[in-house]
Amino acid sequence: MYADEPDRQEPRGGGDERSRRRKVGEDEPARKVTLAIALAVTFVFVLVTAAGVGWFLSDDGPFPGGGTSAPDEGSPTGEGEGDNASDGDSPSPEGMVEDPRSGLTYQLPGEGWQRLGDDEVPPEYHSYAVYGAADDPDAIIVTGSEQLHAAEPMPVAGVRLAVESLGGLVTDIASLEVEPSGGTEVDGSPAFGVAVDGGGEDASYGRFLLVETGDRNGAFMLGINTAGGDEASAAIDEAFASVGVL
């Protein structure tokens, strides 16, 4: 008979060690899930915080413009800007008139002058500024454009267009003298000026300028003073001195 074999004994602490290893192995996925949830919550919190800061600094937030304070109640806020503006043809700040259809711009004279809206401009012009009452002005400044005749010299075209423009603005055009005042340039573009004189101390005064804007296109500006006195004539000269090409 075989001798009795000694009872096999578990190594001391062996069962507890395996139990601990199993528990550690079982707890590992749970810790990974917990860590993933924590990271997701942190990421969402960062996104929400960033969105909140973006709104806080946006135009809809309490401090638009990157946290700058709102303008004082007494400071200009732009209200009333463009009161004399017209669609696509509005005057710029500081009284500049910009006429994109003709390609000309000029400084609107000071007190007493106003620019009319597009719906008040005769169809042969693009912009219309008046001195005095809009329905019966003492002086006016208009801009427009015309296709120049082929091979037509600038002096001839200038006088022709000046007479045609005056015909729509002055009732007694025969009393006016329309004479060339010479060639010049406007922002590098060829131009030609025409003087308008009614004769006498209180007679009409006017100026006409034709600018060749390329491919036989002509942009023109006419200022005529019929009853505004020396002040209106000086204002017309001031406006013509500021003419530019857009």
Side-chain angles (χ1 to χ4, degrees):
M1 300 294 296
Y2 295 100
D4 294 337
E5 293 180 359
D7 296 333
R8 295 180 180 177
Q9 297 180 355
E10 291 287 341
R12 183 174 298 177
D16 293 339
E17 184 67 20
R18 284 194 298 271
S19 176
R20 283 196 298 271
R21 283 198 299 268
R22 284 196 302 270
K23 187 175 296 185
V24 169
E26 293 171 356
D27 290 344
E28 188 67 24
R31 282 201 301 271
K32 289 182 179 180
V33 171
T34 303
L35 178 59
I37 293 174
L39 290 176
V41 171
T42 302
F43 181 72
V44 171
F45 178 79
V46 170
L47 288 180
V48 171
T49 303
V53 171
W55 171 85
F56 200 77
L57 300 179
S58 69
D59 292 338
D60 296 328
F63 296 107
T68 57
S69 59
D72 295 335
E73 292 182 0
S75 62
T77 59
E79 293 181 4
E81 288 184 4
D83 289 346
N84 296 327
S86 54
D87 294 340
D89 187 17
S90 57
S92 299
E94 304 301 330
M96 289 298 295
V97 173
E98 294 182 353
D99 177 10
R101 288 192 289 172
S102 69
L104 295 182
T105 179
Y106 70 92
Q107 178 76 36
L108 185 70
E111 187 176 355
W113 288 85
Q114 61 175 321
R115 182 182 179 185
L116 304 185
D118 278 353
D119 56 344
E120 301 174 278
V121 179
E124 58 266 32
Y125 309 115
H126 300 333
S127 73
Y128 202 103
V130 300
Y131 178 73
D135 56 349
D136 187 21
D138 296 326
I140 59 174
I141 298 175
V142 300
T143 59
S145 61
E146 283 283 346
Q147 185 72 29
L148 303 180
H149 296 165
E152 183 179 31
M154 284 288 285
V156 175
V159 173
R160 174 179 63 82
L161 291 174
V163 173
E164 291 178 1
S165 299
L166 287 168
L169 300 172
V170 181
T171 56
D172 189 12
I173 190 174
S175 64
L176 300 177
E177 295 181 2
V178 180
E179 298 180 353
S181 57
T184 183
E185 286 188 352
V186 176
D187 291 343
S189 298
F192 191 84
V194 176
V196 180
D197 187 4
E201 184 176 349
D202 298 326
S204 300
Y205 170 82
R207 292 181 61 180
F208 182 89
L209 182 68
L210 175 64
V211 181
E212 186 175 358
T213 56
D215 196 22
R216 300 302 293 170
N217 289 321
F220 67 84
M221 177 172 170
L222 170 67
I224 184 72
N225 171 28
T226 56
D230 293 340
E231 183 176 350
S233 295
I236 290 174
D237 288 341
E238 177 185 341
F240 272 73
S242 67
V243 176
V245 176
L246 290 174

